[in-house]
Structures are given as structure tokens and as C-alpha cells.
Amino acid sequence: MRLLGVLGGMSWESTLSYYRLLNEGVRDARGGLHSAPLLLHSVDFAGIAALQKSGGWDEAGRQLAAAAQGLERAGAGALLLATNTMHKVAPAIEAAVDIPLLHIGDGVGTALKAQGCERAALLGTRFTMQEDFYRQRLGERFGIRVQVPDAAAMVEIDRVIFQELCLGRFLPEARDFYLAQLQQLKDEGAQAAILGCTEIGLLLDGCDSPLPLVDSTEEHVRMGLDWLLAGG
């Protein structure tokens, strides 16, 4: 099999899910003792989160680009950036390496198109919900319109991600709030919902959602598995 590089640690909770799902996927496809050939660079999220908060996206892009170059030098043939929000700096990473970055938006867009979805709700960090790097890719490449919660709800969704989910705290009050937001977005016309933060799937696991859910982590992992397993 090929060797896949993973840029993780943002947060390590979600990277843990990537590691598990990639290995389970290879095991299920190949059987026996097979597992996923991976190289992982796990950053210290505190520094990246501080750059997000201060608007230091160029520096964050430089740091992740340097990490991506290290994975390429170590032998990775493709990259997964194991976070939604930091795909804002995907162009900086892509410019720094000669191997493909498997973009999370493409996995999500493919899944939505397969469902026949033209209008999707998006839950994620405030950066993911407010800025255009995610919605632009879904719109231009897949023709999907993106809806987001109102401003007050976005503040609470973001707070839960950084103060609870990224710290491994999955509380019933947060789960109820997220489900209420999904119901509101459905009432406003959404046909499906993108779990656009890699920790949200952990919070809503097993819940009865008012909308069909597209878990960005699962779809991104599927892209990684397709690439790995295509290598024989």
C-alpha cells in the first residue's frame, strides 16, 4: 500500500478518530492483520488556536506547510489535513509540497451530491461557518448552497467546540443545543447537515437527528482510504 501523511492534533480528539477509522477501513478491506500505513505529524493545538484567534492565518499556514514538507520528505505520497477549519490555509500547504492534499470539502461535496442535496446546513467553528473557504468550494465544485445558524447560535456552537469538545467533554446540554439548531436549519430549508468540525460527530454519535448528517471526518477518511487502497 501507499504511505499516507496525516497533519493532526487540531484537536487530538479528532485525530484519534482519523487514526482509528483509517486503520479500521484498511482492516475491513484487506483482512487479517492489515492496518493503515501512516505518517502522523501532530501539532500542539494551543499555538494554532492562538493564531486562529489573533487572525494569524499566514503564520499558521507557514507552520502547517513546514509540517507537510516534513511528511513529504519522510515518504508520504498524499496528505490528509485532519481538521475542517485549517483548510482555510490549504492553498499554502498545497503550494509547499509536490504531493496531493486530499481536501475535506471534496469528500463532503461528493457525499452531498450522492444524496441529491442542493442545500446543506453547516455546523463548525465560527471560522468555518463565517468565512467563505468551505462554502465557496462546495458551491463552485458541487453546486451546493450552504446555510449557517444565526450569529448568536454560531457563538455558542464555537464556544462548545473549543471549551468542551476539543477537551473531550461531550455534554447532553450541548448535544440538545446542536440538535435544536439542526431542526431550525431544517425549518429554513436545509436538506442535510454537514458536521463541519471533526469533533461534532463525536458529540452527536447515535443521536436521532432532524436532518441527514454528513460527517466530514468520515467522508475525509473515505478519501484517504480510497487513495491508500488504490496503491495495491
Side-chain angles (χ1 to χ4, degrees):
M1 276 183 287
R2 296 164 163 180
L3 185 60
L4 179 64
V6 180
L7 278 169
M10 300 165 279
S11 68
W12 69 261
E13 293 279 351
S14 63
T15 304
L16 181 63
S17 294
Y18 271 85
Y19 185 78
R20 176 178 57 81
L21 291 168
L22 285 165
N23 279 288
E24 287 177 350
V26 170
R27 177 200 64 195
D28 293 346
R30 294 293 170 85
L33 295 177
H34 284 288
S35 56
L38 304 173
L39 290 172
L40 172 63
H41 185 126
S42 186
V43 305
D44 179 356
F45 189 33
I48 297 295
L51 290 170
Q52 290 176 349
K53 188 174 181 180
S54 67
W57 295 102
D58 289 345
E59 176 58 24
R62 283 190 287 271
Q63 291 185 19
L64 293 184
Q69 289 172 331
L71 290 171
E72 182 179 26
R73 288 193 299 270
L79 296 171
L80 282 184
L81 177 58
T83 163
N84 282 270
T85 297
M86 295 313 296
H87 276 77
K88 178 175 170 62
V89 301
I93 297 170
E94 291 171 321
V97 296
D98 294 320
I99 57 177
L101 175 70
L102 307 179
H103 197 289
I104 199 167
D106 294 340
V108 168
T110 298
L112 289 169
K113 289 294 285 187
Q115 295 181 13
C117 178
E118 298 178 347
R119 192 169 177 178
L122 172 62
L123 300 184
T125 67
R126 63 184 174 89
F127 309 108
T128 300
M129 292 185 287
Q130 290 176 346
E131 301 193 31
D132 64 1
F133 68 94
Y134 212 103
R135 71 183 74 218
Q136 187 174 37
R137 196 170 188 100
L138 292 178
E140 291 179 354
R141 297 200 173 200
F142 301 96
I144 295 166
R145 294 175 59 195
V146 174
Q147 290 175 244
V148 295
D150 63 35
M154 282 196 282
V155 169
E156 177 62 9
I157 290 167
D158 185 80
R159 185 199 67 78
V160 168
I161 290 170
F162 282 100
Q163 297 184 21
E164 297 179 13
L165 306 187
C166 288
L167 299 176
R169 300 173 63 210
F170 303 97
L171 304 179
E173 296 84 1
R175 187 175 300 115
D176 292 344
F177 178 77
Y178 274 55
L179 291 172
Q181 293 307 309
L182 291 175
Q183 181 62 59
Q184 178 65 35
L185 290 160
K186 177 182 180 181
D187 293 343
E188 295 170 358
Q191 299 166 305
I194 305 162
L195 304 185
C197 174
T198 40
E199 290 87 2
I200 297 177
L202 300 173
L203 177 68
L204 298 184
D205 186 34
C207 289
D208 185 13
S209 170
L211 282 170
L213 301 179
V214 173
D215 188 323
S216 60
T217 300
E218 293 178 358
E219 301 308 327
H220 205 197
V221 165
R222 187 170 287 112
M223 292 182 72
L225 288 170
D226 287 345
W227 184 86
L228 275 172
L229 295 169

